[in-house]
Amino acid sequence: MWDKKNEAKPSSQAAEVPAPIVSTPAPEPVTAAPAARVTSKISSGLKIHGDVFGDSDLYVDGEVQGKIRLANSRVTVGPSGRVQAEMEAREIIIDGSVQGDLKASDNVHLGPSSRVVGSVLTPRIAIDDGARLRGKVETVPANPSRESSVAGDAPDSQNLRPVSAGAKAE
Amino acid sequence: MNWMAKTRSSAPASAGVASAKPGPASSGNLPATLRVSNGLKEFLWLISDVRHGRILDLGPVWQSTVSFFVDKGYRVSAEDLLRTWKDFLTAEEEHLRTAPIAEDNEKISPSLLTDKFLETALQYPEQSFHGVLAWDLLDYFDPVVVPILMKRLSSILHPGGAVLALFHSRPVERFQRYRIVDSQTVELLSAPTIAVHAHVFQNREILSLFDQFRSSKTFVGRDQVREGLFLK
């Protein structure tokens, strides 16, 4: 629905949206990611109700309600993005508004315009001045096997049990 | 945690911005935006016995503060209580402005507002935290509201947990935020005013606010900011 083809040629539904399609954001440094990744976009003016899952990176500048599970990918919520969803991904970058828990197997970055209400569970977190967070920050050991760290339907709490940075699991 | 035992054996130097302790505890060479905090030093000392303790920061979330505690093995929750309160009041005003008059039979009082505010704010299970950083936010709430907030703060604090709070001894000219630089230094950051300084608490009032706590200590700095450390 929001794959690369639709980006290149906006659908009639997207064309009705007055807001411009957001261009691909400047690439962030991606660690240990495949060289050529596809970034899908939910542009400003689009609303998604439901679960989002798969393997491509995702850029959200529209609205999402539901769940976002992209275990091996990067999820970026742009400045206009509004997400009401639990998010699981390898890397999560927030510059917009999120209501829901964030769970990343690599890192979370809260940008200066980010507004987050929810918990953050990640091995690494970067918080820019101006970011707003209402919730807890828990760090977990980086999982060497990212492929399975947040993926799958089975509970992954064994891998993501809240522990202190640099410490062994409780 | 044994506050009294620690106090007797090796408590940090008593009061004042410039600690009698050796090392960088002196504020002499610090930029104006940095402040030596004996309260913070003692706060850290009090919670040092807790393994994987939980800290609640009631100010804005800062990388330096989060990293400081995470690196020491703590877990951090952040809730910018003053901003949340301001957002709440703004929403309430908007609601009152747009609501039909018939709905406004209920009298609005600060305590009623606070009760409503606490339906969504500071929503944590009892005894969730081993330490609370309240900074100077209590100065910015209506004095009627503060005891209600204190009751909630006390309930979410673990027995033996500590609260660090700052109180200005004169009305504040500039709105500032605080973030931790190191174990005895906080950085004061000028910020857009989101609330006006509401009340100067006298020492007796401060002690009264924390009368549910079993122990308290205050330090007055050269800048006339009183740091209070309260042990539940």
Side-chain angles (χ1 to χ4, degrees):
Chain A
M1 181 179 172
W2 48 79
D3 59 14
K4 197 69 178 176
K5 291 176 184 176
N6 287 342
E7 286 175 37
K9 187 176 181 181
S11 66
S12 58
Q13 183 189 4
E16 293 170 7
V17 178
I21 301 295
V22 176
S23 60
T24 304
E28 296 282 339
V30 178
T31 55
R37 294 193 62 90
V38 176
T39 300
S40 302
K41 289 187 291 188
I42 299 172
S43 300
S44 177
L46 287 179
K47 295 181 182 179
I48 304 289
H49 287 251
D51 297 350
V52 180
F53 55 92
D55 286 324
S56 79
D57 292 343
L58 177 67
Y59 186 90
V60 180
D61 225 12
E63 294 183 29
V64 177
Q65 290 184 4
K67 284 185 181 176
I68 298 175
R69 298 186 89 178
L70 301 168
N72 302 310
S73 307
R74 176 173 60 186
V75 177
T76 305
V77 178
S80 304
R82 295 175 62 186
V83 174
Q84 281 187 301
E86 293 175 10
M87 298 169 66
E88 289 187 16
R90 176 177 52 81
E91 184 179 4
I92 299 174
I93 301 167
I94 309 295
D95 277 312
S97 173
V98 175
Q99 191 165 356
D101 296 340
L102 311 181
K103 189 186 287 186
S105 57
D106 191 339
N107 70 82
V108 170
H109 183 179
L110 305 184
S113 57
S114 60
R115 304 287 179 262
V116 176
V117 178
S119 301
V120 179
L121 189 62
T122 176
R124 287 176 284 272
I125 183 167
I127 303 169
D128 290 348
D129 288 1
R132 283 201 225 168
L133 169 68
R134 187 172 167 191
K136 65 183 174 184
V137 177
E138 293 191 7
T139 54
V140 293
N143 191 333
S145 173
R146 285 178 184 151
E147 298 295 318
S148 60
S149 62
V150 292
D153 294 330
D156 52 6
S157 57
Q158 293 303 309
N159 290 330
L160 291 167
R161 282 171 58 188
V163 295
S164 304
K168 293 178 181 176
E170 290 178 310
Chain B
M1 188 183 305
N2 189 340
W3 160 285
M4 295 312 292
K6 279 192 167 187
T7 304
R8 281 195 298 271
S9 61
S10 58
S14 54
V17 171
S19 166
K21 277 197 163 183
S26 165
S27 63
N29 298 323
L30 289 178
T33 55
L34 297 183
R35 182 179 194 281
V36 170
S37 172
N38 282 325
L40 174 63
K41 194 163 57 175
E42 185 140 352
F43 174 82
L44 296 171
W45 175 69
L46 283 172
I47 62 172
S48 61
D49 292 345
V50 183
R51 197 161 169 267
H52 305 312
R54 289 181 177 274
I55 305 295
L56 174 62
D57 186 350
L58 293 176
V61 63
W62 302 108
Q63 175 78 62
S64 60
T65 302
V66 170
S67 296
F68 178 83
F69 285 109
V70 166
D71 290 348
K72 291 179 182 300
Y74 295 100
R75 283 168 283 179
V76 180
S77 292
E79 180 165 349
D80 188 348
L81 197 66
L82 201 53
R83 182 171 291 281
T84 310
W85 171 249
K86 160 123 178 153
D87 292 345
F88 167 78
L89 290 182
T90 304
E92 282 296 304
E93 286 170 9
E94 179 66 17
H95 171 72
L96 287 174
R97 204 165 52 81
T98 56
I101 295 174
E103 286 186 17
D104 294 335
N105 293 332
E106 190 180 27
K107 287 186 177 179
I108 304 297
S109 71
S111 56
L112 269 178
L113 273 177
T114 312
D115 288 341
K116 190 172 180 183
F117 172 65
L118 290 176
E119 289 173 6
T120 55
L122 290 175
Q123 286 289 317
Y124 305 98
E126 290 192 356
Q127 303 181 11
S128 293
F129 298 102
H130 300 92
V132 174
L133 296 167
W135 304 117
D136 62 348
L137 69 89
L138 296 178
D139 274 0
Y140 290 88
F141 284 94
D142 188 307
V144 178
V145 170
V146 175
I148 306 170
L149 293 178
M150 287 308 306
K151 192 176 175 185
R152 175 62 61 84
L153 276 183
S154 176
S155 75
I156 62 177
L157 194 64
H158 200 274
V163 174
L164 173 65
L166 310 183
F167 299 91
H168 298 272
S169 55
R170 54 181 175 240
V172 179
E173 296 170 3
R174 288 183 306 169
F175 184 72
Q176 291 178 316
R177 300 299 216 156
Y178 301 82
R179 68 178 169 197
I180 293 176
V181 176
D182 59 37
S183 58
Q184 54 193 3
T185 313
V186 294
E187 183 176 8
L188 283 59
L189 298 133
S190 292
T193 301
I194 59 172
V196 292
H197 190 253
H199 187 64
V200 174
F201 285 95
Q202 302 303 316
N203 197 37
R204 192 186 308 164
E205 292 177 288
I206 295 171
L207 296 178
S208 172
L209 277 180
F210 288 88
D211 61 359
Q212 300 170 61
F213 290 65
R214 63 186 167 96
S215 186
S216 64
K217 259 187 184 181
T218 60
F219 309 83
V220 181
R222 285 179 186 167
D223 54 3
Q224 297 303 306
V225 172
R226 185 182 296 274
E227 296 184 338
L229 200 60
F230 307 92
L231 193 70
K232 182 177 175 185

